[in-house]
Amino acid sequence: MKQYRLHGRTGRTICLFLCLFGAGSSCQRYPMQHADMQSTETLPLTVFQYNDYTGDEAGIPSRTVFRGDTIPDGMNDNFSSFHLLQGFMATFAEHEDGTGFGFSYVARSSDVTVNLPAQLANKVSFIRVLPVQNVLKKGVGNTNNTLIDSLNVSWFYDWGPLDHSTPTREYVPMAWGRGAANNPSRVDAYIEKDTVTHLLSFNEPDNASQSNIPYTEAVSLHKLLLRTGYRMGSPAPEEGNADKWLLNFMNKADQDTVRVDFMALHWYDWGNWSSTHNASPNPANVFNRFKNYLTRIYNLYKKPIWITEFNANRNTTPETHARFMELALPWLDAQPFIERYAYFFPPTVPAMENDTLTEVGRIYRDHVSTPSITGNIIYGDGSGGEEIPENMSIIPLTNELILPQYAYAGQQTTARLHYVCRLRLTGLAPNATYRYFTGLSDQAYRTTQTPGWLLAIQNSTSPAGYIVGMSSSNKSVGGSRLDNNENYTGTGSKFSTFTTNASGNYTGWFAVVPTNQEQHQAGKNVYFFVQVNNGSGGTSLNHTFRTQSTISMLDYSTITEDIGGASAVKGISAVGDEKIVVLYSDTAMNDRPLYASFTEDDGIPQPYTNWYGTVNASEGQWGAIIPNYLTSGIRAIRYVSINGSQLALFTSSNGEWGTTETVHPDNGSTPITIETP
């Protein structure tokens, strides 16, 4: 049995692992004895010259930052595999300052023995190994150590770098603003901190009253922090900019190959407070908005989440905070994509008064949290380092021209409903005709056929119009082309086609009908897929396009504010047939659309004949769904031609359309009716 020196004393491996990795309640408060941890026989990291742990090898101790020629035994840019002992993390990077392609491996549940990916094999000029702790998810951001001591948390931060870890809690420093990153001595101070493994990046850089940093500058500054070798959090924006400022930052970081290991987020339910000013909202509704937000942002970035500031809004009652907390904390601990969380106690709802915990303080203290990281983190295993398959392209958000948020789950044949979106596909052969089919899946990197009925919409008209057919049977690029307004139910297979422009791009409407596949069930978040042949008559699948954003699957429900529930909407218009109709929750149409459909008559015999049977074949009419928890209702209805130009726009300031109310609908599969001129 190997022996380790802990603060100058020797302890056996089994004792150390029980402390660091024990999952029982007796280990929730554990001694954080890992400083200067070194094996007397084996160092925590061994790197090997060749793949499969062969060739020359070198041992790497913990804590020291190794750069370039300081990497032992001539292993700078000269190793392809490694062995990392359980209880340690290792950060590798291309360049001596920690920049370029990099990844932080974590050996949490077992030793990690892997070959490096192509981006790092024989290219590593930066290594830092650190011990990891059995940190639980629950933490707090605060500068009052008396309060921190009282809340039974296993990690904390203070919006700066000045505190330190204790025997029962890990400290996480933050580089609050630009001065914390562009000052080399400050970065050196981060490196020298004892018992630190993670670093939080800038605080609300999108906010003029906080760190106030443009995203392009923030990427450059964040890059300077990478020489710490810590696992790096993203900047934490205001909640409304997690898919705006932060998305721009992440796209720029990806473009410049700047490492971000986890997403730091804030959430205060400002959207609901701003629209309702209700100081006593239903805590279940607050919770539903919270978990929808986190799920949506996770699906956007597919990286672990630290929610470093959140609460039920400073303007709501202590009762609201308490009941929200009782719902949110167990959910956070149950989600594998939530790595850590820290409740922010506003001055209006403090955790402590007169040195005594309040009700919300006691609820937080008494909540039993779960481990932050339960398994190993290894590049390419879905734990933060997914590799996009060579035959797949992720459609940029800027090319998701109209991608509605919701689709109907389609578990019953007679109740199904089409989903329509407008996308721009790029990087194809110029002036080429591609065979394609569409689908929906919650499998992010699926390159085999995705499920869903193909509904074909063309950019140019034909005797069948623009909407030319649907296959409620099989689909394949090796089949025959959908046409003539057919609803194909045969034993063969169908595809549709589009033709690219001289630049190899195509912009158009795509549609799919969700079915009873497990991937389409209510509660799922799915991607929209367009899968194509080679553009020159090929009969096999050649390439897959996938949206970056996901779509939430809903099912009909008559329960008001049901988080997974939907209600049917029947529209009556005078715009004519085969026009696209898009529904929005805001009059400015800045948010993603709620739903998109098309006006009848498309000429296709429809098999989904329940309430939609009253819409089908009726000129100018359309069908849609909206979520039951829709707080704003439908605020805008936009009619668009097949070429994308706007035909008509109608708005409502309160979600009411004549006598029809669309705020918090609960009509399920009995449609409400909206009539527009």
Side-chain angles (χ1 to χ4, degrees):
M1 181 175 289
K2 297 181 178 68
Q3 294 184 327
Y4 293 81
R5 183 174 298 109
L6 304 179
H7 296 286
R9 297 170 299 182
T10 299
R12 291 187 179 275
T13 303
I14 189 169
C15 298
L16 174 64
F17 285 0
L18 284 173
C19 168
L20 292 179
F21 298 99
S25 60
S26 63
C27 293
Q28 288 177 13
R29 290 185 176 275
Y30 48 88
M32 292 171 48
Q33 294 178 320
H34 56 54
D36 304 319
M37 179 191 301
Q38 299 295 307
S39 169
T40 58
E41 300 174 6
T42 306
L43 295 170
L45 174 67
T46 304
V47 298
F48 297 87
Q49 186 176 10
Y50 304 127
N51 276 357
D52 303 321
Y53 336 112
T54 59
D56 293 341
E57 62 183 71
I60 310 294
S62 67
R63 297 228 169 264
T64 303
V65 176
F66 291 94
R67 317 174 194 274
D69 291 339
T70 67
I71 297 176
D73 299 329
M75 287 296 188
N76 181 37
D77 291 338
N78 193 34
F79 67 93
S80 298
S81 60
F82 69 88
H83 178 89
L84 179 66
L85 291 182
Q86 183 184 23
F88 291 88
M89 59 173 277
T91 298
F92 302 104
E94 277 186 279
H95 306 314
E96 294 185 16
D97 59 357
T99 63
F101 187 86
F103 193 78
S104 294
Y105 290 82
V106 179
R108 174 64 178 83
S109 57
S110 66
D111 288 6
V112 169
T113 308
V114 296
N115 294 327
L116 288 170
Q119 299 96 320
L120 287 174
N122 296 312
K123 298 176 183 177
V124 172
S125 290
F126 178 98
I127 303 174
R128 192 175 194 192
V129 180
L130 294 166
V132 294
Q133 304 169 40
N134 184 23
V135 173
L136 306 183
K137 292 188 179 186
K138 185 178 71 173
V140 69
N142 210 284
T143 57
N144 182 342
N145 286 325
T146 300
L147 174 61
I148 294 169
D149 289 341
S150 302
L151 290 176
N152 190 27
V153 296
S154 68
W155 72 277
F156 71 105
Y157 75 100
D158 61 359
W159 294 273
L162 300 179
D163 218 318
H164 56 83
S165 298
T166 74
T168 57
R169 279 182 297 282
E170 181 187 57
Y171 173 62
V172 180
M174 175 189 286
W176 188 89
R178 56 172 56 84
N182 61 15
N183 185 331
S185 64
R186 291 195 180 185
V187 180
D188 290 339
Y190 299 143
I191 294 171
E192 294 166 4
K193 293 194 76 68
D194 190 26
T195 64
V196 165
T197 56
H198 295 71
L199 181 61
L200 294 168
S201 194
F202 314 118
N203 186 73
E204 296 192 356
D206 56 315
N207 186 340
S209 64
Q210 294 293 316
S211 62
N212 191 25
I213 310 173
Y215 77 87
T216 50
E217 181 187 0
V219 171
S220 299
L221 292 170
H222 181 96
K223 188 175 180 179
L224 299 175
L225 299 171
L226 297 181
R227 68 184 181 91
T228 62
Y230 296 136
R231 284 187 82 220
M232 284 297 308
S234 72
E238 295 183 292
E239 67 187 79
N241 279 323
D243 58 356
K244 298 178 180 68
W245 187 100
L246 187 56
L247 182 62
N248 288 332
F249 173 92
M250 291 300 292
N251 286 339
K252 177 66 173 172
D254 287 344
Q255 177 185 326
D256 294 353
T257 318
V258 175
R259 177 170 58 88
V260 176
D261 297 300
F262 58 91
M263 310 306 296
L265 301 176
H266 294 172
W267 188 87
Y268 292 114
D269 202 21
W270 279 117
N272 184 67
W273 171 257
S274 298
S275 62
T276 67
H277 287 82
N278 181 3
S280 299
N282 185 331
N285 296 337
V286 180
F287 167 57
N288 286 336
R289 289 189 291 271
F290 176 62
K291 70 178 183 179
N292 282 344
Y293 172 82
L294 292 179
T295 301
R296 178 172 62 85
I297 300 305
Y298 171 71
N299 285 325
L300 179 58
Y301 299 111
K302 291 296 183 181
K303 289 182 181 289
I305 285 177
W306 289 30
I307 178 75
T308 55
E309 293 183 25
F310 75 103
N311 63 39
N313 196 275
R314 68 189 183 198
N315 298 297
T316 61
T317 64
E319 174 72 11
T320 300
H321 281 256
R323 305 293 80 80
F324 164 69
M325 193 181 289
E326 289 171 339
L327 294 170
L329 301 186
W331 182 84
L332 290 168
D333 277 296
Q335 306 312 306
F337 65 86
I338 301 295
E339 202 167 277
R340 300 193 191 188
Y341 60 84
Y343 203 80
F344 183 85
F345 297 90
T348 51
V349 189
M352 179 178 282
E353 290 180 324
N354 300 320
D355 297 326
T356 301
L357 290 177
T358 61
E359 182 188 11
V360 291
R362 292 191 300 272
I363 291 172
Y364 203 66
R365 176 198 63 191
D366 295 341
H367 175 72
V368 178
S369 191
T370 57
S372 169
I373 299 173
T374 58
N376 296 335
I377 297 178
I378 301 172
Y379 184 81
D381 71 345
S383 57
E386 294 89 348
E387 291 187 83
I388 299 173
E390 290 185 2
N391 60 339
M392 172 177 274
S393 298
I394 308 301
I395 301 170
L397 286 180
T398 53
N399 290 346
E400 294 177 354
L401 304 177
I402 295 177
L403 187 74
Q405 299 179 58
Y406 304 103
Y408 174 63
Q411 299 304 296
Q412 299 178 15
T413 301
T414 59
R416 290 175 185 163
L417 191 63
H418 43 261
Y419 174 92
V420 179
C421 61
R422 185 168 177 81
L423 305 172
R424 180 183 297 116
L425 307 183
T426 61
L428 294 164
N431 303 313
T433 298
Y434 282 83
R435 300 179 178 187
Y436 81 91
F437 54 79
T438 55
L440 299 171
S441 177
D442 62 349
Q443 299 172 11
Y445 298 101
R446 179 166 177 159
T447 55
T448 56
Q449 185 182 112
T450 50
W453 292 351
L454 169 63
L455 180 60
I457 304 178
Q458 305 280 308
N459 271 358
S460 56
T461 191
S462 69
Y466 293 103
I467 304 171
V468 298
M470 181 172 70
S471 175
S472 53
S473 182
N474 302 319
K475 58 189 181 184
S476 166
V477 294
S480 58
R481 187 177 184 271
L482 268 175
D483 212 342
N484 300 319
N485 283 332
E486 64 181 320
N487 174 21
Y488 180 74
T489 59
T491 58
S493 58
K494 291 290 183 176
F495 61 80
S496 188
T497 61
F498 64 78
T499 301
T500 59
N501 62 18
S503 300
N505 303 328
Y506 176 79
T507 299
W509 298 98
F510 295 92
V512 68
V513 179
T515 60
N516 62 350
Q517 295 288 323
E518 187 273 337
Q519 297 173 60
H520 295 174
Q521 289 181 354
K524 293 282 189 179
N525 291 287
V526 299
Y527 300 92
F528 191 94
F529 288 77
V530 180
Q531 299 179 283
V532 303
N533 75 339
N534 60 4
S536 57
T539 58
S540 60
L541 195 59
N542 182 261
H543 199 81
T544 293
F545 291 90
R546 191 212 82 195
T547 58
Q548 186 165 320
S549 303
T550 58
I551 302 148
S552 297
M553 306 301 296
L554 304 178
D555 199 0
Y556 294 123
S557 171
T558 56
I559 301 173
T560 302
E561 302 185 19
D562 182 356
I563 191 67
S567 290
V569 180
K570 174 182 176 178
I572 301 174
S573 76
V575 298
D577 60 9
E578 294 196 338
K579 306 300 187 292
I580 306 297
V581 55
V582 190
L583 311 182
Y584 294 86
S585 61
D586 63 318
T587 56
M589 299 180 292
N590 290 325
D591 294 337
R592 272 182 66 187
L594 297 168
Y595 200 81
S597 186
F598 51 76
T599 58
E600 293 286 352
D601 179 16
D602 63 346
I604 302 172
Q606 300 291 356
Y608 32 100
T609 56
N610 62 345
W611 68 267
Y612 195 84
T614 67
V615 174
N616 190 43
S618 300
E619 183 171 343
Q621 295 193 18
W622 49 269
I625 61 163
I626 55 176
N628 286 9
Y629 60 86
L630 186 61
T631 58
S632 61
I634 299 171
R635 297 293 180 94
I637 300 175
R638 182 179 177 226
Y639 294 97
V640 183
S641 68
I642 293 297
N643 68 14
S645 61
Q646 181 170 294
L647 300 172
L649 174 64
F650 304 94
T651 61
S652 166
S653 62
N654 57 8
E656 295 179 5
W657 298 83
T659 59
T660 300
E661 172 64 73
T662 62
V663 174
H664 295 312
D666 56 6
N667 50 285
S669 59
T670 301
I672 56 176
T673 300
I674 297 175
E675 187 167 357
T676 55

